[in-house]
Amino acid sequence: MEHRDWDTLKRDCLQCTGCGLAAGRTHVVFGVGQTDAEVLFVGEGPGENEDLQGEPFVGRGGQLLDKMLAAVGLSREHNIYIANIVKCRPPKNRDPLPDEQEACIGWLREQFALLSPKIVVCLGRVAACRLISPDFKVTRQHGQFFEKGGVLMMGTLHPAALLRYPSQKPDAFADFLALREKIGEVCTHTQLVYPDGE
Ligand code: URA
Ligand code: SF4
């Protein structure tokens, strides 16, 4: 299962019944963005809007994420890839269970292998605990880069948390500025693109 290309991987993922979340989904939310991206963003799992539309981070949190990305020259249309730990929506937006994460993580692993990103940004606790360290503390460790197998990993606040606690937005934005700095240091072909008129 190691040599699927992007189209085959996506087609297979869209058929997956590997865990109980398959039963309640409208769409499998595979991921979106540029397949030559050097920066991979990972959330925890689809919410209601994502389940309905089949794309990650398209609700209110997603709009906030896109705004913060745009401010540092990043977007799903130009230079990043966005995926989730689990590809199907957990009921009532609960955290994905360890079993569900385990069942689904292979898809993300293959996405990671195809991309081979220089930097992985974990959006929120679930992704950071799964990908960086099981005891990751977002409030204390957000914005720090950890090297794992030649890849730089960083955790930041989840956009949904920023909607709930707007006072944390400056902290999150500082993480995005640090990310831009790091991209300048380690990425080779990431072109930052700033929307005009802002
Ligand atoms: N929250 C996530 O973690 N991922 C999404 O795709 C949407 C909301
Ligand atoms: Fe398959 Fe992942 Fe969806 Fe579970 S959450 S059915 S493992 S794609």
Side-chain angles (χ1 to χ4, degrees):
M1 287 304 204
E2 266 210 21
H3 303 289
R4 282 184 282 203
D5 63 18
W6 277 105
D7 288 344
T8 311
L9 183 66
K10 180 169 181 175
R11 195 193 62 210
D12 291 353
C13 183
L14 297 188
Q15 312 276 335
C16 179
T17 54
C19 82
L21 297 179
R25 75 187 177 211
T26 311
H27 288 104
V28 176
V29 179
F30 176 70
V32 72
Q34 305 307 306
T35 53
D36 65 347
E38 295 179 286
V39 185
L40 169 63
F41 284 78
V42 183
E44 65 182 67
E48 183 179 19
N49 293 291
E50 292 76 22
D51 174 63
L52 290 173
Q53 296 181 45
E55 182 169 329
F57 289 100
V58 292
R60 271 183 74 222
Q63 286 166 27
L64 175 58
L65 175 64
D66 283 342
K67 219 169 87 178
M68 294 173 59
L69 288 168
V72 296
L74 299 174
S75 67
R76 61 186 83 196
E77 289 82 11
H78 287 106
N79 46 24
I80 62 168
Y81 195 88
I82 308 177
N84 281 304
I85 297 285
V86 296
K87 311 308 196 201
C88 303
R89 183 194 182 195
K92 297 181 191 157
N93 298 341
R94 64 157 170 73
D95 287 355
L97 303 171
D99 278 3
E100 294 159 352
Q101 295 186 35
E102 202 51 43
C104 205
I105 197 78
W107 298 115
L108 182 64
R109 281 209 190 94
E110 280 197 54
Q111 290 174 307
F112 176 89
L114 284 167
L115 269 181
S116 96
K118 296 278 199 306
I119 300 175
V120 176
V121 178
C122 299
L123 297 166
R125 180 184 52 78
V126 169
C129 286
R130 181 75 210 195
L131 301 180
I132 301 176
S133 156
D135 58 1
F136 190 89
K137 295 284 179 285
V138 177
T139 44
R140 275 195 282 116
Q141 296 175 294
H142 71 88
Q144 295 178 25
F145 286 91
F146 301 84
E147 204 243 85
K148 277 185 91 176
V151 179
L152 291 168
M153 317 272 298
M154 185 252 266
T156 188
L157 296 106
H158 194 285
L162 299 178
L163 291 174
R164 233 170 304 139
Y165 308 105
S167 65
Q168 298 186 332
K169 283 184 188 176
D171 275 354
F173 193 63
D175 296 349
F176 279 62
L177 292 174
L179 170 64
R180 178 170 63 181
E181 184 93 3
K182 195 61 83 179
I183 288 171
E185 290 169 27
V186 306
C187 291
T188 61
H189 60 262
T190 297
Q191 307 275 2
L192 303 182
V193 180
Y194 296 92
D196 37 50
E198 286 188 35

